[in-house]
Amino acid sequence: MSKKKNNSPEDGIFDSPARGDFSGGDQIISTEYSELMQKAYIDYAMSVIVSRALPDVRDGLKPVQRRTLYDMYELGIRSDRPYRKSARIVGDTMGKYHPHGDSSIYDSLVVMAQEFKKGLPLVDGHGNFGNIEGDGAAAMRYTEARLQKITEEAFLADLDKDVADFGPNFDETEKEPLVLPVRIPNFLINGSEGIAVGMATSTPPHNLAEVIDAELALLDDPDISTEKLMRLIPGPDFPTGGIIINKDDLPQIYETGQGKIRIRGKVETEKGRSGHINLVITEIPYTMVGAGIGKFLSDVAALAENKVTNDVIDITNQSSKEGIRIVIELRKDTDVENFKNLLYKKTRLEDTFGVNMLGILDGRPETLGLRGILEASADFQYEIAGRKYRTLLEKEQKKREIQEGLIQACNVIDLIIEILRGSRDRAMAKRCLVSGDTTGIRFRSDFSREMAAQLNFTEVQADAILDMRLYRLIGLEIEALMKEHEETVANIYRYEDILENRNAMTKVIRAELLSIKKKYGIPRRTQIIQGREAVFLAPDLNADRELVFVMDRFGYAKTMEPSLFSRNEAAVRETARFCFPCRSNGKICLFTKEGRLYTLRTADLPAGKMRDKGVPVDNVSNFDTTKEEILFAASQEALRLEKLVFVTESGMVKSVPGTEFDVSKKTVNATKLAEGDQLLFVSELKDALFIVLQSAGGFFLRYSVEEIPEQKKTAQGLRGIKLAAGDSVENVWLLSQGEKPVIETHGKEIDISKLKLSRRDGKGVRRF
């Protein structure tokens, strides 16, 4: 066989002695590295999205959960059998179905057994499976598990009736279900959380009884609206209880599948010792499960240590297996409502649950609303029922064929016995029963031979007759066979009706759902109300005092006590983008490149220590870091005493009195911009005498700040420098008396204080 030689790189195939002798037609394929990386990354991303991180909308399970449950089913670890070691389950699952390490499998098994994380636990755990306070489960060699009864009935039932598609496992030595035949909308009931590549899912858990009611309503009325469905599912039902306080936002969330749910813990008041007041937290937000409880306790202690409140005497965590109980002992004269509000604002007692109901549907990720999820589940129920009853129908039809053959055989049993006695082997007797072939068979009479020649049993019937035992000829046995045949015929009529009549199939699905609801439905745990838009603290609870505002380059902000800041000033300024004094009852102003002003209340920011990260400013204002960039920040109190200088990329300049920005709205326009223009520079004027503008083309212009026009925030300003076509302002400096900054640009050092003093709207001098 000749070997093709291509020496041109454009051909994509090289053959050179320097590369060795490639026999058997081996070729080196030349390809663009970026294209190869792109394809490889897309393949990896889709593998993570579809095969690991996101649940299937039909059964609400991720692959690792599905494989773990199926493996327990295969091992026979049922609810009525003894527990088995978790290590046995994990090892078997990893060896057969999920070759991604034992920790991911065991973590999945643990979560499916934790009642405080799953509204409907699917695994019955025995041993230390962790607790709500964040303590992890014991090692898998110490714990045991088995399936919950509902998992057997609603997740794994009828797998022997061809209700699920099976595919090869990772090494093609086993078969595994591609989706479990789940009878309930588990995607909603248990919810899910997962981070894939470029996308994430976060679906809150819901009440089983409510979800089933909504599914039944959808079966009755396929065109039902989301509004009507929400009369049955008013909102999520978290296993930790709590109170959802933004009821009015839920319709939009359930319509789009995305949004934010605000949830609070449940707080009660009790009489404490010596007349003190005990504030008792009996339910926590779902987002506090785990380490969040410890963080809450430390946050409350920090409020007392930092003198934010003087009302706290003691805080104890008295939680147990019976439930959450966190007791905060308060002074006798404490304003309880204001203290609650302080907890809501400064701790995670009120938190946000981000909703993004993303799942795999028809092999691709899709974000679905409430109705879309229920529709997908309903379609899946019809598919399961159709496959189940087609399998049952085939079995009953085969059974009827055998029964009819046996009944017919009983009517001519003497002839059949004569055929059996006259045949040399089974094959000869079977040919006679199936086709009436009497060749080689000895009969007592010609009449018997003629009767035998008329026999026409099917192959299946003939085998059943030949295998029939003599006791079946007893009269009672024949009567039982006749009765069994009647039941089989009735089943066939029923199954055919279910498969041919959608209403009949709907009745079957309804009956299964109602049965599950009756056996496993529980009352709602999470209360839903429409609370206040924001919580305002009473002025006397948090007296106005001086703080230091700190924001890093990632947009995380916090406040610090002045004494703490002064001890760590060098380290704080090293990592901070903005750092300045503010008032605890004041506001912070954020100016963006797009010319907008965002204000946020200082009270909304957490009081942080040196290493505390703070909160994203997005969470406490209307600002969105994904769409805009902060150019300048200052306290509203400081701006009242100053003027601000604005410079745009096109060279427009102006000064604006700081009182212009003493606004109550959270978002206003800080300046007017021409189309395509952006703010480049915003700063307090303070004691500056000169302004220096540098263009990208290398022109520098220095002139007195007195030439900067003072205008309103709604004005565009006047031209500060004449720019050539395509040029733009790149840097701006404000110079005070005696200030002589030297800058380095394009390999040159320039003392900008020695630049020629010019007038506004000049071209400037070129320095590079």
Side-chain angles (χ1 to χ4, degrees), residues 55 187-194 201-206 238 257 286 353-359 373:
F187 186 84
L188 280 175
I189 293 170
N190 265 333
S192 64
E193 291 186 13
T201 182
S202 180
T203 304
H206 293 76
F238 296 102
Y286 186 62
F353 183 95
V355 178
N356 184 29
M357 296 194 286
L358 175 70
I373 295 170

Side-chain angles (χ1 to χ4, degrees), residues 3 6 13-22 27-30:
K3 182 178 178 183
N6 289 319
I13 302 173
F14 296 86
D15 193 345
S16 170
R19 295 181 181 270
D21 181 20
F22 302 102
Q27 298 173 338
I28 295 178
I29 306 299
S30 175

Side-chain angles (χ1 to χ4, degrees), residues 156-167:
L156 297 162
D158 299 326
L159 276 173
D160 58 338
K161 297 181 177 64
D162 189 34
V163 292
D165 290 329
F166 280 72

